[in-house]
Amino acid sequence: MKELKLPNARSVSLEYPIVMGILNVTPDSFSDGGKFSSDSKAIEQAKRLLMEGAGVLDIGGESTRPGAPEVSLEEELRRVIPVVKAVKHDIDCIISVDTSKAEVMRQAIEAGADIINDVRALQEPGALDVLAAYPDVPVCLMHMQGQPRTMQNNPSYQALFADINDFFETRISACKQAGISRERLILDPGFGFGKTLSHNIELLGGLKHFQHFDLPILTGLSRKSMFGQLLNRDTNERLAGSLAGALICAQQGANIIRVHDVAETSDVLSVWLASVNGVNE
Ligand code: 7PJ
């Protein structure tokens, strides 16, 4: 599991954790509405994230924040596909698309997406079949309890790690049944998705419980409300908490760290890696 194979005979090394930079294409992120200018803003942001050290860009058009309303297929396609095409056309980079809808997955892959990141772990209709049809595309299976609109209404587990591990087992088997090979899979415990603060904190200290799968692990904690609750911070005051979270995940073997603040996260990981590997002066 030293590298992740990608389409077109490319691959990305997982020897050290890589930073996945979040490129949101929800209307609140580009509020001017004009399609041309929003595409060029997305390209600008993509270039910035890559310069700051992102190894992968994660493009998502569905808000999955707690309580967020669902987005129609047409709207999600309209938000995501032009940006994937534009970024792919202008920049040589690895693109992940954050979606649960089979048709968005299909069009995104056709438009040049290298990875599918699904917070619903390929449980929506047709999603397994789409991925089965593109045997070079890796996919992130994230754990969520419930659905975004209601997932924070009293989440509960019999045993947090055992329940999430059972979910991973079930989804890994579903992938196998559908013809999606195991080496394409990435696992994500889904911080904030149907989890209380104490669930999230327990997860943060316990990533070792997912290492037995011997699959790459992705974690996303960036600016999440667990830091709001723990530290009493608004969204724009959660950088320090998020950096601590990213480092704690990396030190427990997380391979892909999904963040908004790429430059800061890259610095933190570089300091840690220097302390492990030394430096050449
Ligand atoms: C995650 C995600 C995450 C993966 C979002 C937010 C909510 N994909 N998409 N893992 N979170 N794989 O960033 O606050 O934790 S959207």
Side-chain angles (χ1 to χ4, degrees), residues 20 22 58 62-65 98 117-119 140 142 188 190-191 193 218-224 258 260:
M20 171 183 263
I22 300 170
D58 192 40
E62 181 201 15
S63 177
T64 46
R65 281 177 195 292
D98 188 343
N117 171 26
D118 185 1
V119 300
C140 178
M142 197 197 77
D188 181 345
F191 285 95
F193 285 87
L218 188 156
T219 58
L221 299 95
S222 188
R223 302 181 188 172
K224 283 190 176 169
R258 180 182 181 277
H260 301 89

Side-chain angles (χ1 to χ4, degrees), residues 15 28 40 47 65 94 119 143 172 180 220 223 230 235:
E15 187 176 359
D28 30 326
S40 63
K47 286 184 175 161
R65 281 177 195 292
I94 300 169
V119 300
H143 174 271
I172 292 168
I180 301 166
R223 302 181 188 172
L230 184 70
T235 314

Side-chain angles (χ1 to χ4, degrees), residues 24 43 48 60 97 210 227:
N24 267 323
I43 288 170
R48 183 172 59 79
V97 170
F210 308 116
F227 300 114

Side-chain angles (χ1 to χ4, degrees), residues 18 34 47 73 91 221 234 259 266 276:
I18 57 177
K47 286 184 175 161
L73 171 63
I91 315 172
L221 299 95
D234 284 341
V259 300
S266 300
V276 173

